[in-house]
Amino acid sequence: MRIAISHQQGRISPVFDVAARILLVDIHNGRTVRRNERALVQMDSLARARQVSQFGVELLICGAISWPLENALSSMGVQVAACICGPVNEVIKAYVNDKLGDPAFIMPGCLDRQQRLTTKKEGSVNKHNINYDTLVRITKAISTIQDPEEIVLITVEGVTHALNVKGCALFLFSEKSDELKLAGYYGLSDEYVDKGPVSAIHSIASSLQDRQPVAIFDVSDDPRIQYPEAAIREGIASILSSPIIIGDRLLGCLRVYTAEPWEFTLSDVNFVQAVAQLVGMGIEMCRVNQGLRESIDVLEMMQDSTAAQLTVL
């Protein structure tokens, strides 16, 4: 069992979101067998959660923690014991002796939240806060990143963790072939994404023709699924597909995949629609900026040529 403890000057750090270091502790048969310090260099919620997960941590013991970060950790298989305080060595001893829930180790004002010592049950997470965090992060990426591929990757990973689903993929529509070309994905296997060309006519077609979101509850029993066998092998149960529309032009679609049958709520649909429009605008901005840069280069070349001619004259 590997636990991680965020600490500062020998005590639990008050806020994990800004903690600079964690102590990795390996416990076997009720005894501490190894300790190792690690620096936390990531501040973004998803990036910080991923870093902790990569350390092989099964349980994080920390002070206060934001909902988005706690949910991201949980979705990556890291349990969170939050609102813990006290000297690190005493906290480790309390954990080994199953006394971490004693009032002496609970932060002031958190005695009524001892249920947070284990991962939250599904549905108890404040999804609105998580969704807002994801929207803000994608918006920041659009405003600062000029690489459409990076924007797509940030989007599909963010949606997957925000909704705590199996995976997410973004497709771009090709008018020449009437196909959806995969632009980026997260949480899906290479075998599944390489299953074959995705037809814009037969693959959940109504979401593109009617330009409205479409939810598939059971992929094994829905004629709108182009590759049902591949979806079943992948462990996909339900799909939500939202078109990406810029002006009157269909740019592509954003799809969410779940491992369990999922009755998508209006909130889920609205969130995916909002993200789809944001990433669509981001991709379009990258295209426009690229064209603008090319135009500026042409103008500069023309100006240089004119100046050279005037010099000769």
Side-chain angles (χ1 to χ4, degrees):
M1 176 73 174
R2 172 167 289 183
I3 66 173
I5 302 176
S6 61
H7 66 95
Q8 179 180 340
Q9 297 180 344
R11 299 183 64 85
I12 302 295
S13 299
V15 181
F16 179 68
D17 296 63
V18 294
R21 303 191 66 81
I22 58 173
L23 175 66
L24 304 180
V25 183
D26 291 337
I27 298 175
H28 183 66
N29 290 333
R31 297 180 57 188
T32 300
V33 296
R34 184 181 304 139
R35 296 189 181 199
N36 201 358
E37 287 267 347
R38 285 288 188 271
L40 293 173
V41 297
Q42 303 291 347
M43 297 303 293
D44 174 83
S45 295
L46 283 177
R48 174 162 285 227
R50 191 184 307 113
Q51 184 181 16
V52 173
S53 175
Q54 289 172 347
F55 290 150
V57 175
E58 298 172 67
L59 170 69
L60 170 69
I61 299 176
C62 62
I65 183 173
S66 67
W67 287 106
L69 179 51
E70 183 171 1
N71 185 63
L73 286 163
S74 297
S75 69
M76 295 180 189
V78 180
Q79 290 189 327
V80 179
C83 292
I84 302 298
C85 64
V88 170
N89 289 334
E90 292 185 17
V91 168
I92 295 174
K93 186 182 299 183
Y95 170 75
V96 171
N97 294 321
D98 199 23
K99 294 184 177 181
L100 199 57
D102 288 358
F105 298 105
I106 305 299
M107 295 179 69
C110 296
L111 287 176
D112 60 336
R113 301 176 69 185
Q114 293 190 32
Q115 66 271 22
R116 296 187 66 191
L117 297 181
T118 57
T119 306
K120 290 181 176 58
K121 294 182 180 179
E122 184 179 357
S124 66
V125 177
N126 188 333
K127 289 187 177 181
H128 291 294
N129 287 347
I130 297 167
N131 291 351
Y132 288 145
D133 179 73
T134 302
L135 288 173
V136 169
R137 205 164 56 85
I138 293 173
T139 304
K140 287 182 178 179
I142 291 173
S143 64
T144 58
I145 298 174
Q146 297 182 354
D147 181 2
E149 182 177 359
E150 189 171 351
I151 291 176
V152 169
L153 293 178
I154 288 175
T155 299
V156 294
E157 181 178 1
V159 170
T160 299
H161 291 301
L163 295 178
N164 196 20
V165 293
K166 176 178 176 57
C168 180
L170 190 146
F171 298 86
L172 296 178
F173 175 61
S174 171
E175 293 182 354
K176 294 181 179 180
S177 62
D178 273 337
E179 290 181 357
L180 294 171
K181 303 293 186 180
L182 184 66
Y185 64 96
Y186 184 84
L188 304 173
S189 69
D190 293 338
E191 180 182 1
Y192 179 71
V193 299
D194 293 336
K195 59 187 176 297
V198 180
S199 170
I201 300 176
H202 300 100
S203 177
I204 317 183
S206 58
S207 69
L208 301 178
Q209 295 172 353
D210 300 336
R211 303 197 172 190
Q212 295 294 326
V214 170
I216 304 295
F217 178 74
D218 185 0
V219 299
S220 66
D221 188 30
D222 196 302
R224 292 172 292 181
I225 299 297
Q226 185 179 1
Y227 297 100
E229 296 84 2
I232 294 171
R233 287 196 301 269
E234 181 69 10
I236 295 171
S238 302
I239 299 176
L240 173 63
S241 179
S242 177
I244 302 173
I245 302 170
I246 301 298
D248 295 328
R249 184 165 60 92
L250 176 67
L251 188 65
C253 68
L254 184 66
R255 289 185 179 172
V256 173
Y257 304 84
T258 72
E260 301 293 335
W262 189 301
E263 289 282 2
F264 291 99
T265 66
L266 180 60
S267 177
D268 295 332
V269 175
N270 288 339
F271 170 66
V272 174
Q273 277 189 295
V275 173
Q277 291 307 112
L278 276 175
V279 70
M281 288 188 292
I283 294 172
E284 186 69 5
M285 286 173 59
C286 290
R287 185 188 66 80
V288 172
N289 288 337
Q290 179 62 33
L292 180 61
R293 285 196 299 270
E294 292 176 355
S295 299
I296 291 174
D297 291 340
V298 171
L299 286 174
E300 289 178 346
M301 291 175 60
M302 292 174 62
Q303 289 173 351
D304 292 342
S305 176
T306 301
Q309 291 177 4
L310 290 175
T311 301
V312 171
L313 294 174

